[in-house]
Amino acid sequence: TGSGEEGSAEKDGATEEADAEEKEEADAEEEEEEEEELIEQWRKTLLYGIDSQVEDLLPVLAQHGETRLTSEIESLLQSTPNPSLKSSIFEYFSRTDQEVGVEEAAETISNYRQESNELVRSAISYLREGEFELTEEALEAVRPLASDETSGFTSQAARVLGEKGGEKDVSVLKDALSQTTDSDTRGQIVLALGDLGSSEAVQPLVDIASDSGANRLLRGYAADSLGRIGDAEAIDVLREMVSAED
């Protein structure tokens, strides 16, 4: 009798386990179907929705890390004349670390005098914040903005070149530094030179750091950049700055 009861209990346990697995599979299938339906709804919004609906949707997609609709969003970026929508798309690509919009961003930046300031800022931010390397074409689009103080985008452009540029951008930033009088802009260029980490940038940074009449914050940025570059030529001036503070 005991043996029979044990067998019955095992059978009941196996049945319950099978039922649980079946329910789990059914729930997974239902969840997958609901997800597919949601993706299709999002796709229809991208294809047929008005611009404001698409702009509302893009942050939702970014928050979920959703990239399965990238081709639709890329097509929209290339076709829409709406600068606000383009800005939202650049932000979406930035938040999802997708480089598919780099070429369009570079074109926007190249035409910065014809585009809205908001759109150009969004394009530059996308190039800076996305976790990907920039093409030479994209860097070429950014360099004129760093060199032109009247562009209104010198600080942003400088930081892009500092973080994602190369050796040739040292001279671009040094020239920009010598031509720019605005203290805040100069500070961003100084930090960008530190980002590049080239010994070619040491002398102008030393000149700023050692100038007791210069803006205190700017001198601090110069010292920070010199410290990051780590060139022996800067040791004396950094020691003097520390001694002066003591």
Side-chain angles (χ1 to χ4, degrees), residues 154-173:
T154 301
S155 294
Q156 270 189 295
R159 297 313 298 268
V160 173
L161 297 180
E163 293 173 15
K164 297 194 173 183
E167 198 67 28
K168 68 187 298 183
D169 293 303
V170 177
S171 60
V172 174
L173 294 177

Side-chain angles (χ1 to χ4, degrees), residues 62-216:
Q63 184 177 1
H64 287 80
E66 181 55 64
T67 59
R68 284 173 287 184
L69 298 167
T70 294
S71 61
E72 287 85 353
I73 297 172
E74 183 182 8
S75 296
L76 193 57
L77 175 64
Q78 295 170 348
S79 63
T80 182
N82 184 338
S84 178
L85 179 53
K86 281 190 173 185
S87 294
S88 296
I89 294 174
F90 284 140
E91 183 177 355
Y92 163 77
F93 283 147
S94 175
R95 291 179 62 185
T96 53
D97 289 325
Q98 298 187 79
E99 53 187 307
V100 293
V102 167
E103 185 175 342
E104 191 72 26
E107 183 176 343
T108 296
I109 293 167
S110 294
N111 298 321
Y112 69 95
R113 294 199 181 280
Q114 288 76 46
E115 303 286 3
S116 72
N117 288 346
E118 176 197 0
L119 179 56
V120 176
R121 288 194 189 93
S122 296
I124 298 172
S125 294
Y126 165 50
L127 296 187
R128 180 182 177 187
E129 295 169 8
E131 295 292 330
F132 45 76
E133 294 183 2
L134 294 186
T135 62
E136 180 60 24
E137 289 76 14
L139 292 170
E140 281 293 342
V142 173
R143 286 176 185 128
L145 276 70
S147 303
D148 181 7
E149 187 179 8
T150 66
S151 71
F153 307 104
T154 301
S155 294
Q156 270 189 295
R159 297 313 298 268
V160 173
L161 297 180
E163 293 173 15
K164 297 194 173 183
E167 198 67 28
K168 68 187 298 183
D169 293 303
V170 177
S171 60
V172 174
L173 294 177
K174 285 170 63 177
D175 288 345
L177 184 63
S178 66
Q179 296 169 14
T180 303
T181 56
D182 179 74
S183 182
D184 290 339
T185 302
R186 284 170 61 81
Q188 294 304 306
I189 297 172
V190 163
L191 290 173
L193 286 168
D195 291 333
L196 284 172
S198 171
S199 59
E200 294 291 321
V202 168
Q203 190 55 55
L205 295 177
V206 166
D207 291 343
I208 293 172
S210 59
D211 183 0
S212 59
N215 178 283
R216 184 179 178 85

